[in-house]
Amino acid sequence: MKLRELLLRFVLGGLAVVLSYMASALLPWKALGGIFAAFPAVMVVAVLMVGLSQGSEKAAAVARGSVYGMTGCAVCVVTVWYALKITGAWWPSLMLGLIGWFAGSFALLKVREKVQKNQHLHRLPRKQTKHV
Amino acid sequence: MALAHLSLIGILLRFLLGGAAVVVASLIAKRAGGAVGGIFAAFPAVFLAALLTMRFDYGARELVAHSMDLSQGALIGMAINVACAAAAGYLCTSKGWKKGLTLSVGGWLLVSFTISYVLFSL
Protein backbone atom coordinates (compact mmCIF):
# COMPACT_ATOMS: atom_id res chain seq x y z
CA MET A 1 0.00 0.00 0.00
CA LYS A 2 1.43 3.38 -1.01
CA LEU A 3 2.13 6.12 1.52
CA ARG A 4 -0.30 8.47 -0.27
CA GLU A 5 -3.12 5.95 -0.03
CA LEU A 6 -2.40 5.36 3.66
CA LEU A 7 -2.43 9.10 4.28
CA LEU A 8 -5.80 9.40 2.52
CA ARG A 9 -7.20 6.60 4.72
CA PHE A 10 -5.82 8.34 7.82
CA VAL A 11 -7.40 11.68 6.89
CA LEU A 12 -10.77 10.09 5.95
CA GLY A 13 -10.89 8.00 9.15
CA GLY A 14 -9.96 10.98 11.30
CA LEU A 15 -12.46 13.26 9.53
CA ALA A 16 -15.30 10.75 9.91
CA VAL A 17 -14.79 10.55 13.69
CA VAL A 18 -14.39 14.35 14.00
CA LEU A 19 -17.56 14.95 11.93
CA SER A 20 -19.61 12.57 14.08
CA TYR A 21 -18.28 14.40 17.18
CA MET A 22 -19.25 17.76 15.64
CA ALA A 23 -22.71 16.44 14.73
CA SER A 24 -23.23 15.16 18.29
CA ALA A 25 -22.20 18.53 19.77
CA LEU A 26 -23.73 20.97 17.28
CA LEU A 27 -27.03 19.48 16.07
CA PRO A 28 -29.88 21.41 17.72
CA TRP A 29 -32.08 18.29 18.08
CA LYS A 30 -30.72 16.51 21.14
CA ALA A 31 -31.98 13.05 20.19
CA LEU A 32 -30.44 13.28 16.73
CA GLY A 33 -27.17 14.81 17.99
CA GLY A 34 -26.74 12.26 20.77
CA ILE A 35 -26.77 9.26 18.47
CA PHE A 36 -23.79 10.51 16.48
CA ALA A 37 -21.62 10.25 19.60
CA ALA A 38 -21.69 6.47 19.03
CA PHE A 39 -21.56 6.46 15.20
CA PRO A 40 -19.30 3.59 14.03
CA ALA A 41 -17.29 6.01 11.84
CA VAL A 42 -14.07 4.00 11.83
CA MET A 43 -15.86 0.81 10.74
CA VAL A 44 -17.82 2.58 7.98
CA VAL A 45 -14.66 4.19 6.54
CA ALA A 46 -12.64 0.95 6.88
CA VAL A 47 -15.34 -1.09 5.05
CA LEU A 48 -15.64 1.66 2.42
CA MET A 49 -11.90 1.82 1.77
CA VAL A 50 -11.44 -1.97 1.68
CA GLY A 51 -14.54 -2.23 -0.58
CA LEU A 52 -13.08 0.34 -2.99
CA SER A 53 -9.64 -1.24 -3.18
CA GLN A 54 -10.27 -4.97 -2.59
CA GLY A 55 -13.94 -5.61 -3.46
CA SER A 56 -17.10 -6.83 -1.69
CA GLU A 57 -15.71 -10.10 -0.33
CA LYS A 58 -12.90 -8.44 1.65
CA ALA A 59 -15.21 -5.59 2.72
CA ALA A 60 -17.69 -8.17 4.07
CA ALA A 61 -14.84 -9.93 5.91
CA VAL A 62 -13.83 -6.63 7.56
CA ALA A 63 -17.47 -5.99 8.55
CA ARG A 64 -17.80 -9.51 9.97
CA GLY A 65 -14.51 -9.08 11.84
CA SER A 66 -15.76 -5.82 13.30
CA VAL A 67 -18.70 -7.71 14.88
CA TYR A 68 -16.04 -9.29 17.15
CA GLY A 69 -14.34 -5.90 17.54
CA MET A 70 -17.63 -4.20 18.47
CA THR A 71 -18.40 -6.94 20.99
CA GLY A 72 -14.87 -6.33 22.29
CA CYS A 73 -15.83 -2.64 22.59
CA ALA A 74 -18.72 -3.63 24.84
CA VAL A 75 -16.23 -5.67 26.94
CA CYS A 76 -13.97 -2.57 27.01
CA VAL A 77 -16.78 -0.30 28.21
CA VAL A 78 -17.90 -2.74 30.93
CA THR A 79 -14.28 -3.29 32.03
CA VAL A 80 -13.65 0.48 32.29
CA TRP A 81 -16.87 0.92 34.28
CA TYR A 82 -16.10 -1.91 36.73
CA ALA A 83 -12.42 -1.00 37.09
CA LEU A 84 -13.37 2.63 37.83
CA LYS A 85 -15.98 1.49 40.33
CA ILE A 86 -13.63 -0.87 42.15
CA THR A 87 -10.29 0.99 41.99
CA GLY A 88 -11.22 4.60 41.15
CA ALA A 89 -7.89 4.74 39.29
CA TRP A 90 -8.46 6.40 35.89
CA TRP A 91 -5.39 5.46 33.79
CA PRO A 92 -5.19 1.77 34.90
CA SER A 93 -8.95 1.43 34.21
CA LEU A 94 -8.47 2.83 30.70
CA MET A 95 -5.57 0.44 30.02
CA LEU A 96 -7.56 -2.51 31.39
CA GLY A 97 -10.43 -1.52 29.08
CA LEU A 98 -8.10 -1.56 26.06
CA ILE A 99 -6.76 -4.98 27.04
CA GLY A 100 -10.37 -6.13 27.51
CA TRP A 101 -11.27 -4.88 24.01
CA PHE A 102 -8.48 -6.76 22.27
CA ALA A 103 -8.62 -9.93 24.39
CA GLY A 104 -12.43 -10.09 24.12
CA SER A 105 -12.48 -9.54 20.35
CA PHE A 106 -9.67 -11.98 19.64
CA ALA A 107 -11.05 -14.70 21.93
CA LEU A 108 -14.47 -14.42 20.27
CA LEU A 109 -12.92 -14.64 16.80
CA LYS A 110 -10.94 -17.75 17.79
CA VAL A 111 -13.99 -19.43 19.37
CA ARG A 112 -16.03 -18.72 16.23
CA GLU A 113 -13.29 -20.14 14.00
CA LYS A 114 -13.09 -23.28 16.15
CA VAL A 115 -16.88 -23.76 16.06
CA GLN A 116 -16.91 -23.32 12.27
CA LYS A 117 -14.05 -25.83 11.90
CA ASN A 118 -15.90 -28.37 14.08
CA GLN A 119 -19.11 -27.89 12.07
CA HIS A 120 -17.16 -28.42 8.87
CA LEU A 121 -15.56 -31.61 10.23
CA HIS A 122 -18.95 -32.99 11.31
CA ARG A 123 -20.46 -32.32 7.89
CA LEU A 124 -17.67 -34.06 5.99
CA PRO A 125 -18.38 -37.77 6.80
CA ARG A 126 -22.06 -37.43 5.77
CA LYS A 127 -21.03 -36.16 2.33
CA GLN A 128 -18.58 -39.03 1.95
CA THR A 129 -21.17 -41.70 2.77
CA LYS A 130 -23.42 -40.32 0.01
CA HIS A 131 -20.74 -40.98 -2.57
CA VAL A 132 -20.10 -44.57 -1.41
CA MET B 1 -22.38 29.89 21.09
CA ALA B 2 -22.64 26.38 19.67
CA LEU B 3 -18.94 26.18 18.80
CA ALA B 4 -18.05 26.62 22.45
CA HIS B 5 -19.21 23.03 23.06
CA LEU B 6 -16.43 21.70 20.85
CA SER B 7 -12.99 21.32 22.34
CA LEU B 8 -9.89 21.57 20.15
CA ILE B 9 -8.17 18.75 22.06
CA GLY B 10 -11.30 16.63 21.58
CA ILE B 11 -11.22 17.22 17.83
CA LEU B 12 -7.48 16.48 17.60
CA LEU B 13 -7.71 13.29 19.67
CA ARG B 14 -10.63 11.99 17.59
CA PHE B 15 -8.82 12.80 14.35
CA LEU B 16 -5.64 10.98 15.43
CA LEU B 17 -7.37 7.92 16.92
CA GLY B 18 -9.90 7.58 14.07
CA GLY B 19 -7.28 8.00 11.34
CA ALA B 20 -4.83 5.58 12.98
CA ALA B 21 -7.56 2.94 13.47
CA VAL B 22 -8.57 3.02 9.77
CA VAL B 23 -4.92 2.80 8.62
CA VAL B 24 -4.14 -0.13 10.98
CA ALA B 25 -7.41 -1.92 10.01
CA SER B 26 -6.64 -1.58 6.27
CA LEU B 27 -3.03 -2.75 6.65
CA ILE B 28 -3.99 -5.73 8.80
CA ALA B 29 -6.91 -6.63 6.49
CA LYS B 30 -4.43 -6.87 3.63
CA ARG B 31 -1.76 -8.85 5.50
CA ALA B 32 -3.51 -10.98 8.13
CA GLY B 33 -7.02 -11.19 6.63
CA GLY B 34 -10.25 -9.24 6.85
CA ALA B 35 -11.47 -10.70 10.15
CA VAL B 36 -8.47 -9.51 12.22
CA GLY B 37 -8.51 -6.21 10.28
CA GLY B 38 -12.17 -5.87 11.23
CA ILE B 39 -11.29 -6.05 14.93
CA PHE B 40 -9.15 -2.94 14.45
CA ALA B 41 -11.91 -1.31 12.38
CA ALA B 42 -13.94 -1.50 15.58
CA PHE B 43 -11.22 0.13 17.72
CA PRO B 44 -13.09 2.12 20.38
CA ALA B 45 -11.66 5.42 19.08
CA VAL B 46 -14.75 7.51 19.84
CA PHE B 47 -15.13 6.11 23.36
CA LEU B 48 -11.44 6.54 24.24
CA ALA B 49 -11.30 10.04 22.74
CA ALA B 50 -14.37 11.02 24.78
CA LEU B 51 -12.74 9.67 27.97
CA LEU B 52 -9.41 11.39 27.23
CA THR B 53 -11.17 14.69 26.48
CA MET B 54 -12.87 14.49 29.88
CA ARG B 55 -9.45 14.46 31.50
CA PHE B 56 -9.00 18.05 30.36
CA ASP B 57 -12.43 19.15 31.53
CA TYR B 58 -12.77 17.66 35.02
CA GLY B 59 -10.80 17.37 38.24
CA ALA B 60 -9.66 14.01 39.66
CA ARG B 61 -12.80 13.25 41.72
CA GLU B 62 -15.32 14.37 39.08
CA LEU B 63 -13.38 12.60 36.34
CA VAL B 64 -14.08 9.10 37.68
CA ALA B 65 -17.81 9.78 38.17
CA HIS B 66 -18.23 11.33 34.70
CA SER B 67 -16.21 8.54 33.06
CA MET B 68 -18.51 5.95 34.66
CA ASP B 69 -21.59 7.84 33.34
CA LEU B 70 -20.08 7.94 29.86
CA SER B 71 -19.32 4.19 29.97
CA GLN B 72 -22.93 3.38 30.89
CA GLY B 73 -24.26 5.43 27.97
CA ALA B 74 -21.70 4.01 25.55
CA LEU B 75 -22.86 0.44 26.20
CA ILE B 76 -26.20 1.06 24.40
CA GLY B 77 -24.32 2.52 21.41
CA MET B 78 -21.95 -0.47 21.31
CA ALA B 79 -24.88 -2.91 21.25
CA ILE B 80 -26.40 -1.12 18.22
CA ASN B 81 -22.97 -1.10 16.55
CA VAL B 82 -22.61 -4.88 16.98
CA ALA B 83 -25.94 -5.31 15.12
CA CYS B 84 -24.85 -2.79 12.44
CA ALA B 85 -21.55 -4.63 11.85
CA ALA B 86 -23.37 -7.99 11.62
CA ALA B 87 -25.82 -6.51 9.10
CA ALA B 88 -22.94 -5.02 7.07
CA GLY B 89 -21.12 -8.38 7.04
CA TYR B 90 -24.24 -10.16 5.77
CA LEU B 91 -25.41 -7.48 3.31
CA CYS B 92 -21.95 -6.79 1.80
CA THR B 93 -21.81 -10.48 0.81
CA SER B 94 -25.36 -10.75 -0.52
CA LYS B 95 -25.83 -7.30 -2.10
CA GLY B 96 -22.29 -6.04 -2.74
CA TRP B 97 -20.36 -3.62 -0.52
CA LYS B 98 -21.96 -0.35 -1.77
CA LYS B 99 -25.57 -1.38 -1.20
CA GLY B 100 -24.66 -3.44 1.86
CA LEU B 101 -22.87 -0.58 3.61
CA THR B 102 -25.58 1.96 2.70
CA LEU B 103 -28.36 -0.28 3.99
CA SER B 104 -26.59 -1.13 7.25
CA VAL B 105 -25.71 2.54 7.98
CA GLY B 106 -29.35 3.45 7.17
CA GLY B 107 -30.51 0.73 9.58
CA TRP B 108 -28.08 2.02 12.24
CA LEU B 109 -29.51 5.57 11.87
CA LEU B 110 -33.08 4.33 12.14
CA VAL B 111 -32.49 2.11 15.21
CA SER B 112 -30.27 4.69 16.99
CA PHE B 113 -32.71 7.52 16.29
CA THR B 114 -35.69 5.48 17.54
CA ILE B 115 -33.87 4.47 20.74
CA SER B 116 -32.58 8.03 21.37
CA TYR B 117 -36.03 9.48 20.68
CA VAL B 118 -37.64 7.07 23.16
CA LEU B 119 -34.93 7.77 25.78
CA PHE B 120 -35.15 11.55 25.40
CA SER B 121 -38.93 11.66 25.38
CA LEU B 122 -39.22 9.61 28.58
Side-chain angles (χ1 to χ4, degrees):
Chain A
M1 220 176 277
K2 283 178 193 162
L3 193 70
R4 228 179 94 178
E5 200 185 325
L6 284 178
L7 204 69
L8 178 76
R9 281 165 198 256
F10 185 88
V11 171
L12 276 178
L15 270 180
V17 179
V18 168
L19 281 177
S20 55
Y21 168 55
M22 285 180 152
S24 72
L26 299 179
L27 278 176
W29 309 280
K30 228 179 170 197
L32 195 62
I35 64 169
F36 279 100
F39 183 68
V42 177
M43 186 208 85
V44 171
V45 174
V47 173
L48 182 90
M49 296 309 282
V50 173
L52 276 172
S53 61
Q54 297 167 55
S56 288
E57 209 174 298
K58 273 264 177 156
V62 169
R64 279 196 298 272
S66 63
V67 174
Y68 309 115
M70 291 295 186
T71 314
C73 283
V75 175
C76 167
V77 169
V78 173
T79 309
V80 169
W81 190 82
Y82 264 109
L84 280 173
K85 196 180 177 193
I86 294 164
T87 65
W90 197 81
W91 275 114
S93 303
L94 205 75
M95 290 299 136
L96 265 178
L98 262 182
I99 294 168
W101 160 69
F102 192 70
S105 313
F106 211 70
L108 206 67
L109 176 70
K110 288 289 152 198
V111 168
R112 176 86 179 128
E113 278 177 357
K114 212 167 186 177
V115 169
Q116 271 179 333
K117 213 179 235 175
N118 280 343
Q119 278 175 343
H120 186 70
L121 279 175
H122 283 298
R123 269 187 216 134
L124 217 58
R126 257 185 254 155
K127 269 188 186 169
Q128 279 172 341
T129 49
K130 268 185 186 173
H131 289 291
V132 173
Chain B
M1 215 173 103
L3 272 175
H5 297 298
L6 292 169
S7 91
L8 194 65
I9 292 165
I11 290 175
L12 203 70
L13 275 171
R14 279 165 178 84
F15 186 75
L16 288 176
L17 288 173
V22 173
V23 168
V24 172
S26 313
L27 283 175
I28 290 180
K30 200 153 196 177
R31 277 172 203 171
V36 188
I39 290 180
F40 284 89
F43 179 73
V46 176
F47 175 63
L48 287 179
L51 278 180
L52 287 167
T53 314
M54 274 186 173
R55 223 186 141 71
F56 297 96
D57 296 335
Y58 299 105
R61 193 173 279 180
E62 279 180 306
L63 180 67
V64 171
H66 278 96
S67 301
M68 284 173 75
D69 281 347
L70 181 84
S71 306
Q72 266 178 336
L75 201 55
I76 301 169
M78 299 296 181
I80 303 170
N81 290 352
V82 172
C84 174
Y90 173 74
L91 292 169
C92 281
T93 316
S94 59
K95 296 193 184 294
W97 74 268
K98 283 180 196 163
K99 218 171 182 179
L101 191 63
T102 312
L103 283 172
S104 43
V105 170
W108 178 90
L109 264 172
L110 196 75
V111 173
S112 300
F113 183 72
T114 311
I115 291 177
S116 304
Y117 188 77
V118 170
L119 284 178
F120 277 99
S121 58
L122 282 176

